[in-house]
Structure formats: C-alpha cells, structure tokens
C-alpha cells in the first residue's frame, strides 16, 4: 500500500470519499493511504454514516489529522475489518508513545477511540462501485468539536510524526494481510 | 456469533479445521467460536500454513487454550483481517489483566503475540469450500513447545476465565462489524 | 430478518428504493421487510425495470399494499430468486386464505401474480452499491391501475392481516435460507 | 438451462453430487437439470446435510424420482434460494395435477414437501469448488423409506410425465431469473 | 453474446457507457456488443479513465468505429481482461486482412493499438452497479484526433465489414470463454 | 507477478496443479509464473479438463516447455480470460520471432495454438479453493505426442529464451491489467 503525507493543510468535507480521490488529486494509483492536517466540516449531504444521519450528528473540528485509505477489489466487510485494525494500531501507537496515556490508556469501542468519556477520533468505512474507502480523523485540537473530546495536543503528540509512523505501520500490516491470503492451503 | 467453552480436555491435531466442525461435533450452527484446553500436536498432513510447511516447523504444546472460529459467506481476506483483530483483542485483554504485563506488555506481529522473544500463540486462517475458519491457540504451559515460549502460567492468567471473557468480547466485536456493514451509504 | 408494519398511509413513488431506507426512515437496521398501505405513482425517473422503461409503462394504483425488503452482502441474482420465493409465499397465502381463490387460484408468472387475465401485483428486485432491494405491491383496490387488475378487495382479504402474516412467514423463510447455507458439507 | 431425462434406472448414492457429473456422464455442458428414476441409498460418507449427519438419519427409498441440478458461477445462498423455488414449483405442479391433492394439498416447509405428516421428498443444495448443485428426490413408492412418507403412487402421478413437465417449467424459470438480472437499473 | 450493427451514424459522447444502454436503446437484453460509426467527443464530465482525467486528455475524432460491450454478473478485473482479448482479436483481424499491415503490423500495448507511433484506437473498461462495460473505438478517419493517429482509411478497411466480422468472432470467443468455465474439475 | 525459470528438467504429471505449488516447492509467494522443460504425462486421475476426460484423451509429450501460473483472490472466469491472453501473447511472440512463421503464422483457437492442422500447445485453467491456476505447455519436440503436432524445434526457437521473454511480457501484462482496475471511475 502506498503512503503519502500532504504538507499543505486542507479541509476535510466528505468529498474526499470518492473513488480514485488519491489518484486524481495526488497521482498515487492503487491501494493507498493519504494523510494531512486540516479542519473537518462534513455537511449532511456528504455524511455517509447512517448513525450520524439518524442522530442528526455534527461532524466537525477546527484541526484534525486525516487519513483516507482506498482499496480495490474487496468488499465492505473487509473494509470494516481493516478499519478496526487501523484504529487498533493507532491506539497502540498512541498508548505506547505518549507518557500521559501509559497510566490511563485510550480504549477502543468499535471504530472509535476514547480517553475516559472524551472522544479522540471519528471514522467511517464505505464503498464506491469500484473501490472501498476508509476515512479516519484524529483531533489535533479540541476546538470546534461537537462533543466532549481529547486531542493530540492533550497527549503532546506531533501530528506529522504520528501520521508518518502510522502510515508506515499500516502499509506493512496491509501487505502482510495480503500475503497471509497467499500462503495457506485449504481445508475440506 | 455463538460461543461455546468445552469443559473436557481435547487434543488439537488440525482435524478440527474442517467445515461444520462445531455444528457436527457440538451442535452449534452458524458463525461460532469454540474454546477448550488441551495439548496440541499437528502432523505434517494437517498443517495448512505454507510457512510452517516450508520451514518444516513443528506445531505442538503440552497444554494450550484453543479457539476455533467458523464464518460463512465471506472470503479468505476477511478471515485474515478478523484473525488479526482477534489477536489484537486477546493482546489487550492480557496486557490489561495481567500485572506482570503492564510494564512489559505483549506485542503483536502479524497474527503472533510475543513477550520479548518468547512466543505466546500460534494461529492460522483458511477456507473450506463452504466457510472460513480461524484457529488460535495460546500456551497454557511452556512444556513441549518447539520454540522459546511464554504461557498463561507465566502471567498467572486462568485459561477458562480468559476464554470466556475473550469469546464474549469477540462475539460482540463480530456482531458490531456486521452491523457496520449495514449502516453506511455508498459514495460515488 | 426484521419486520415492520407502518400504520400511516404513505405514497410509494420509487424513492423508497434507496439504500438504508428502512434504517434512515424507520430506525430498523440490517435485513428488513417493511410494509404499509398507500397509493403508488412512480414517475419515469424512478422506474428501474428496463421492461417498464422500454414499454413506457405506467406504474400506479390508488391503493396498494407495499413491501420493501433490503438485504446486505448478497448479489442481484440472489435478490431476484428471493423475490420469486416471496411472490410464491404470497400466492400460497392468498390461495389458501381467500375462499374465492380456492376454485380459481392465483397463478405466478415470474414475479407477477395473475387471476386469469387480471394482474394483482407489481414487483422489482435491484441493487444499491451497498445492498439489495425488493419492492412488491399488491392492489388493495383496482382504482387507478393502468391495466386490468384484481385486488385484495376482490378477495375480501384484510391488507394489514395479510401484511403481518406474510412478513412473519417471510422472516422465517429468510432465516431458514441463511441457516441452510450454514449446515452443508461441500462436495468435490 | 439444459434438461435431460434418463430412461434407464440408476441408483442415487450421493456420488452424483460431484462437479461436472452431468457433463462427464451425460455430455451435457453448462447449467443443467437431469432426472431419472431409481432407488436411493446414501451412506454416511456421502451425506452432506449436517442435519442428517447430526441425527444419524437414513437417506433411502426403493424407488424415487431424482433431479440433479448444476449451476456455475453462483454461490451457495443462490443455490439454496433456487432449491426452494424448485420445490415450490414441484408442489404447485402436483397440487394442480393430482385430484387427491386438490382438497388436501402438499405443504412446503423449507425444502421439504409434506402431505399431512407424510414426507414426499428429500433435497439438498451444496457447492463444489467450481459449481453449485441441488439434489431433489420424490418418492415414487413408499417402500424402503426410513420415515412416514407419501409417494407419487399415492397421487397416481406418472413419474416420467412429472419429470418432463417439471424440467420444462424449471428451465423456463431459471432462464427468466437470469433475464431478470439483466434488465434492471441500479438505485443509489 | 448478442451482436448488433447500427446503420445510422451516432455521436459517441460517453453517455453510452451506462447500464442497460443496449437494452433501453436497442432492445437487446443480456450480454451484448453493439457497433456503429460516428464522431467521438467525450467531455470531461463523461471521461472515466483516470489517466485521461489526470492528463487532461482530449477524447475525440471526426469518424470512428465504435463498439460497446455489456456483461452481467462479472467484475472489473474480468472486464479488463476481456477488453484486452477483444483488442487482440481486432489486431489480428486487421493484421491479417489489410495488405499494408502484413509487413508492418499493428502492435498492442495494453488496451491500445499502435502502428509505429500512430495510435489506432481508444478503449476503456469500467463497471456500473449492475453490469460491466467496455467501449472501444477505432479511427475511421484521422481527422479531428488529438494525437498522431492511423485509421481504417489508411488500411483500406471497410468499417462495416470489420465490425460485422469482429462482432461475430467476439461473440464466439465470449461464449467459448464461458464454456471453458463449465468444463473443468477443481484441483486441491 | 513473480517469474521463475527452473533449470532442471522435471516431468509434468498434473500434480503441479495444486494450490501453493510454487510457494511450497520453489519458495515464491503470491501471484507467480514458473517455467521449465520436461516431459509431460498426465494420467486420468490428474486430468481436469472435462473435454479430455470425455474423449479419453491422452496428455503427453517427450519434451515440452511448461508454464504454471497461480493467482489469488480471483475467479475461474478471470483465469480463463487470462489464459487466452497468455496464449495470444505466446502466439504473437512466436509469429514475430520465428522466420518460418512469418508467412504461415500460428493461429489461436480458444486456448490452443495450431500451425495448419498441427497442434503446438495444451492448456487448462482451473481453481483451487484458495487460488486460480493455469497450465500451458508448448511442444519442444514432436516425439511422444498423441496427435499431429508442431514444436519449437520446427520453428528453431530456443525454449529457454522463449520462456524468459514470455514470462517477462506476461508479468508486465498482468501488472498492467491489475492497474487498469485501479484507474477507472464507475458509470451509473
């Protein structure tokens, strides 16, 4: 899986969840993960999580660390399973790297990360007719978030360092998952 | 996903990786996870991991905690992703529950768990023509293992308690993954 | 499969054939069947049956009993096969329950039901990028239908009773189909 | 779907549920339904229905009308749905054609047909690694059956006539199902 | 696979790449190939090839021979493989049929045909939510093309004859591919 | 796709068509093509082509150039389409490289290559429960073949050079096909 960190800030408004977004905007073809920093503001028309739509939830933050993953030739169930693995790796990386989290670590519930009652991240996995996509965003700041949150600033974690490390780990994990599908004999 | 803990000890010899094993032997139909304690001894004919076959690896242990999962209507890639999620949940459960692991926690590499250089578990995900299956076994004792291992005895963890807790968490996680595939709108 | 009967009348205009319609409008998540009474008026832009589009057919009725089914993780061929099973169960239920039909029963042709030359129902099965959907509507009244029709009024059948009975039978049938995919050994 | 009626009697012993059976034994390639009369005797090693295996059921009859269907490029869920449609068509054909059944018709439960408590048929749907297969057998005689049964002799129905009619109806139904997957526009 | 040659000229503007185009416009249902002559002018909104979109390519020609293929129940990878087979058959047909090409034959690169540096054709394979589609267009004239091209006029090849021959060969090839999936036994 | 040429001669007896053959015997993991020279002798038990089984065909040759391809995560239809593309590339390579073939080129019929009435190659595409496999063998010598054949010796073509060139072209073609599935936008 290819990785790319965008140095320029960019608003995440949900339009990035569109097939070939990385290829058409950043020239990376094939399975990819792209990360950048920027505010988050997703209007109702671009919300894809039925839970958010049902609750009339707001999806926004003044500054978040974004990740957009695109896969090809898989299905939604696989994308959801990958999404949770991605969150698990993020959680471990933060819990191990931030001193403040050693005693009181982040906890994963489904595809969300919580620090006590404070929510750190938002995420969705969905499909296009030609690919599967995941968006995950981590609060860099708690400003502008619609619920009680925690953020990388609380943990004194550098967003860029985290992004680079996480994308490297994820790229290895993804390749290793594919390899695990190419080394096993069937059973009756 | 249904769960079942078998009170009687049983040897795991690889024949349990067979479609409908849980249904035909324990009358649980549909997606399921079954756990029991017993020795492990898989001969060459029942090894399905190409890596093991290539390395002429031995798969054995005098006492392990076994888990066999069966899914229906999915594919190998999904089974592999689930397998890694299952290992991640096992790891978190042990790291949080065993005092000795708080300072020096277990680390996940692919589908393996390590405590330093000591290996805790073995696992494989594969397919039958009608289902997808995962086997994971955790050392209860270090006796009889072919490599340097650690075990639940080292961590003073009750195998049965662990099994019951893990199966409960896993059953919730699995159901929640399926629900996440039934709440999202597509993107273009 | 979850079932829901809507007590309020609602126009079926084709916009109900949209992924997560039941979840976003009625909070039922997962495989579901929803039924209600209401007029039917589908304009050209919301017709999805190529046969209707080719023939410039009108799809309308002053009062029909509607059923909308949504499945997840299947394909169009499965949805079409289910659709015909659903029509078969509807046919049997009516033929057994309405005295007037004992001597001159309804006949199924593909996904249509006929009483002699009079058409009782309309139906379509299609896919969204995240699910599979079926719409079936039975005439409650013959008013406003574009072809020669029969209706539940002709058979003295209560729409609501029929809906509740049919949804119960269908929910059992659907669950039993899924179970039948989880109890069989493969052959070579 | 191609149809073939075998004039010579042949024992059904479960070995007919094998990929390409019709092609390798009767030179019919592609989706097919083959029918013949013959005894039925399936030993444990060739039973594929987990329910039968769990119950230690006997599968036998002195004379039955057999149908073996093979499909390509589909999945088990589709095969199970088709199996039930096939049983529904068989039921309707018998209920309409046999006078004795008009007042007291056959009833379908899942993939079984019953006349009161008497069982008329057995059936299974399963997969090979290259195709999907259905076996259905209808008692011609009640001799040699392990449970309380009814048979075509009870209904004074000619097995051959039934087979030819049913295969013709089924072939049309199957083709019409495939066509229904090639005439519909997607919805969002 | 059904074939149809349209005698009237028609502009190809990309709107033909839409599910059921052949069925809704020309009443041919199921897998089909339709051919006609006409100009080509695809605006940015109807371009589906990411490479073209990335390069800001122009897709146009004053007169081209068009082919639109639609398949059902397959995936994008299969459509791409078929697309290349189709181009290979076109190449062989031209290389054998046009004298000028015997010494200096057309060469295939991916899904493109070149005569030295001159490009003969454009092509794309994509999916709708209910089908898979291929468009291939061969220059009849070099007028109006945005790059250095060759054309059927250069080779003194009759577009209509070519279309009829190619569609006949392709229809046979497609049927033969499907048959090859219905004659093989699995391996372990 | 990885490529490997085996320098030692080896009999092809059909046992090479087995999942993970390249990985377990030659340590190449993932999509691969392996080539070697050796005799060919496939007994009835290892024949997988129903046509051969139906005709009681013999599959043998004293010396052939073998290719075994394994793919993962695809289906039989894709494997058959790839097989024909592979044969097309082989045909073009030979027709361009051997002088004797310029005037009287090899012709492809399905997955076979003929030089007039003389058959050059044999091939089959099939599936394992975890992968898809293709075997293609080209006569190096005409000795020992059961039908009228031609061979690389007739064309004065070096088997090893051909194998290396063909595997290089094929590896590029395969990668390019996968890329073509990761660059296209869907259509409605």
């Amino acid at each position: 899986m290819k990785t790319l960190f965008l140095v320029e800030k960019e608003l995440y408004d949900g339009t990035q969840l569109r097939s070939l977004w990385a290829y058409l905007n950043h020239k990376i073809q094939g399975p990819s993960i792209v990360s950048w920093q920027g505010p988050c503001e997703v209007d109702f028309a671009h919300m894809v999580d039925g839970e958010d739509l049902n609750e009339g939830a707001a999806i926004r933050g003044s500054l978040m660390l974004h990740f957009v993953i695109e896969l090809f030739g898989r299905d939604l169930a696989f994308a959801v399973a990958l999404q949770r693995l991605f969150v698990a790796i993020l959680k471990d990386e933060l819990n191990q790297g931030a001193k403040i989290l050693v005693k009181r670590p982040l906890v994963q519930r489904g595809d969300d990360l919580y620090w006590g009652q404070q929510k750190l991240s938002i995420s969705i996995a969905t499909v296009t007719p030609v690919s599967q996509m995941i968006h995950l965003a981590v609060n860099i700041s708690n400003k502008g978030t619609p619920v009680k949150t925690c953020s990388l600033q609380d943990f004194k974690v550098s967003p860029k360092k985290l992004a680079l490390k996480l994308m490297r780990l994820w790229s290895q994990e993804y390749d290793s998952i594919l390899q695990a599908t190419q080394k096993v004999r069937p059973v009756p």
Side-chain angles (χ1 to χ4, degrees), chain A:
Chain A
M1 176 170 278
K2 290 169 193 161
T3 66
L4 178 69
F5 186 77
L6 306 177
V7 288
E8 295 199 23
K9 285 206 167 53
E10 176 180 329
L11 168 71
Y12 178 85
D13 58 5
T15 60
Q16 289 90 346
L17 274 190
R18 186 179 160 86
S19 52
L20 304 189
W21 173 78
Y23 181 50
L24 295 180
N25 292 276
H26 303 290
K27 306 278 157 73
I28 344 178
Q29 198 185 356
S32 68
I33 178 167
V34 179
S35 178
W36 73 94
Q37 302 175 66
C40 181
E41 182 82 53
V42 181
D43 63 23
F44 227 62
H46 288 92
M47 269 182 213
V48 294
D49 189 334
E51 269 183 286
D52 294 334
L53 290 164
N54 270 346
E55 294 165 8
I59 303 182
R60 64 168 189 267
S62 63
L63 190 58
M64 301 185 88
L65 178 63
H66 299 279
F67 297 90
V68 168
I69 298 173
E70 187 169 21
L71 314 168
F72 296 87
R74 306 293 166 177
D75 59 18
L76 180 52
F78 183 64
V80 170
L82 282 196
Q83 176 198 26
R84 298 196 172 197
L85 269 177
F86 186 63
V87 175
I89 291 173
L90 167 61
K91 177 201 62 180
D92 287 352
E93 187 55 30
L94 285 170
N95 281 344
Q96 288 157 26
K99 279 184 196 162
I100 200 173
L101 296 174
V102 170
K103 286 203 182 163
R104 195 180 150 228
L106 293 164
V107 171
Q108 180 170 354
R109 292 187 209 139
D111 56 9
D112 287 324
L113 288 181
Y114 283 91
W115 196 42
Q117 301 300 317
Q118 295 163 271
K119 205 174 176 225
L120 176 62
S121 58
I122 55 171
S123 185
I124 192 69
T126 187
V127 294
T128 79
V130 294
S131 59
Q132 302 76 48
M133 301 192 79
I134 299 166
H135 173 244
L136 180 135
V138 182
N139 299 318
I140 297 175
S141 155
N142 293 314
K143 276 191 202 155
T145 59
V147 295
K148 203 175 175 183
T149 54
C150 57
S151 68
L152 296 184
Q153 289 173 354
D154 297 330
F155 312 145
K156 306 199 187 309
V157 165
S158 150
K160 185 175 176 182
K161 273 191 194 164
L162 176 65
L164 295 176
K165 178 78 179 296
L166 193 58
M167 290 197 292
R168 189 165 56 76
L169 291 175
W170 178 247
S171 180
Q172 290 166 357
E173 179 71 16
Y174 180 78
D175 295 351
S176 140
I177 286 172
L178 289 204
Q179 280 170 27
T181 67
Q182 302 172 341
K183 63 154 202 175
V184 78
R185 302 239 338 126
V187 288

